[in-house]
Amino acid sequence: MHLGQQNPVVDGLSLKELGVLVEIELRRKGLPFLKYVEYRIVSKCFQIPVQRRYSDFEVFHGLLLQKFIYRMVPPLPPKRILKGVLNSLSDREFNDSRRRGLQRFMALVIRHPVLAGDELVNIFLSASSAEVQNMLRDAYKKTGDEFLTSQMALHGKVYLPEDIQTQAAANREVIANIHSSFNKLRDVAECMAQRSWENSTDLLMFGKDLSELGSDTSDLPMNATMSKVWKTQRKSLVELSGEFGLLADKAAHQGSREEDEVVEKLNLLLEQLQSYRDLCDRHDSGVLLEHQRAFEKRSGPVATHLKYQNSIEQPESRLSQQENTIITMEMRSYFSLLCLHQETQLVFTYLPLVTSILGTFVHSQIQGHKEVCF
């Protein structure tokens, strides 16, 4: 069973609706204080919940990079740093942040027109927990990288525009500027969402203090002229504390809405753009050299045998082998450019989502102010 190619634009969808849901399940193994996190993944395609650890994601991500070195492979969220230093509250926050990052990673993978239908993705979303890493490695060993199986690999040059190098440089600069601008937008949106949460906390504490003040039953001195008035005021304070509790709930809802509908989608776009920049860096830093090294390592005993054969072969045969190697590297170069060209088009396909996100942001602000007023 394979995931079909899908329209990558996620306009109007939440990340939970993108075909995969990542949930946290805290597991304990061995001694009580030794615990690790598992992620429950449910995909619309397979509809079979599977359990994955972060190490499974690492293997999956690494193999995607090896197989699709010419494609955008989204980044993984980071591993824990300073393990054991974080307190329980920040530990929960870190786990939730990483869960969100893994959800974005899976969302981008299954929306990619090429990655989505690959056997690695199908194995990751359906295989048993115990066998998933071995199955992923075996699947990659059987096929190798995308160049070895793609029908376009032999004719990459035909599909490329004549000014591909100029286009690639211009597109890279434009996308780098967009990435920088989106980073600023995301940072502002994050600050606004954080302020909504802080406002909720302040309102809640203010209401709690009012409630404690209004609930104070200590008697005033008999000669206090305002004793009767103060008793009436205390009742009003308790009633007002309930109103502040409602305002706190609305502010928390506002913060949650801004995080889920604005910040998370901007993060999704940013990680897409970052994966494009990573792809450009791989292209510039010499992916062909890496492939050549991988080929030599993979050859193993065969390479040693060929060295011996070279000493007795005719010059014409050695020249033919060199020409074949050059032709293969040239085809890889054109295929790399073709993939880069396709990935650039995919990035621009995602960009209209910005209009929807900003529209949601405006609507969220309007809705939040209305809720406070009424």
Side-chain angles (χ1 to χ4, degrees), residues 250 365-374:
K250 291 178 180 179
Q365 294 299 309
I366 294 173
Q367 187 66 24
H369 288 296
K370 284 183 178 179
E371 290 177 355
V372 171
C373 293
F374 296 100

Side-chain angles (χ1 to χ4, degrees), residues 8-9 72 112-113 171 174-176 178-179 182 269 271-277 279-280 340-354:
V9 177
M72 290 185 294
H112 193 286
N171 288 329
V174 169
I175 291 174
I178 293 173
H179 186 223
F182 281 5
L269 279 174
E271 287 173 7
Q272 177 80 319
L273 294 174
Q274 183 59 53
S275 64
Y276 178 82
R277 298 186 71 175
L279 171 62
C280 292
L340 182 62
H341 185 58
Q342 291 176 332
E343 299 301 281
T344 304
Q345 294 174 326
L346 185 60
V347 168
F348 284 110
T349 301
Y350 266 87
L351 292 184
L353 180 59
V354 179

Side-chain angles (χ1 to χ4, degrees), residues 289-309:
L289 179 60
E290 293 299 321
H291 274 290
Q292 179 64 22
R293 289 173 179 171
F295 174 77
E296 291 173 354
K297 290 180 180 179
R298 194 172 181 179
S299 299
V302 176
T304 304
H305 178 68
L306 287 177
K307 288 179 181 178
Y308 173 75
Q309 289 279 39

Side-chain angles (χ1 to χ4, degrees), residues 74-110:
L76 278 180
K79 282 184 120 176
R80 181 194 305 277
I81 301 176
L82 299 178
K83 187 174 182 179
V85 174
L86 301 177
N87 58 43
S88 59
L89 178 61
S90 57
D91 189 56
R92 288 195 299 272
E93 291 174 346
F94 172 81
N95 285 333
D96 184 63
S97 174
R98 192 163 73 175
R99 178 197 61 78
R100 287 173 178 266
L102 293 174
Q103 175 122 355
R104 292 192 299 269
F105 166 75
M106 291 304 306
L108 290 172
V109 168
I110 66 171

Side-chain angles (χ1 to χ4, degrees), residues 23-41:
E23 299 174 341
I24 289 179
E25 288 192 359
L26 188 63
R27 300 276 180 168
R28 295 185 182 276
K29 183 177 181 181
L31 298 175
F33 58 86
L34 293 178
K35 56 185 179 180
Y36 62 89
V37 176
E38 274 195 347
Y39 301 92
R40 182 175 180 267
I41 302 177

Side-chain angles (χ1 to χ4, degrees), residues 52 56 123-124 127-137:
R52 297 287 180 261
D56 298 327
I123 291 173
F124 190 76
S128 66
S129 301
E131 298 295 329
V132 63
Q133 293 191 20
N134 289 333
M135 291 180 66
L136 288 170
R137 293 187 179 101

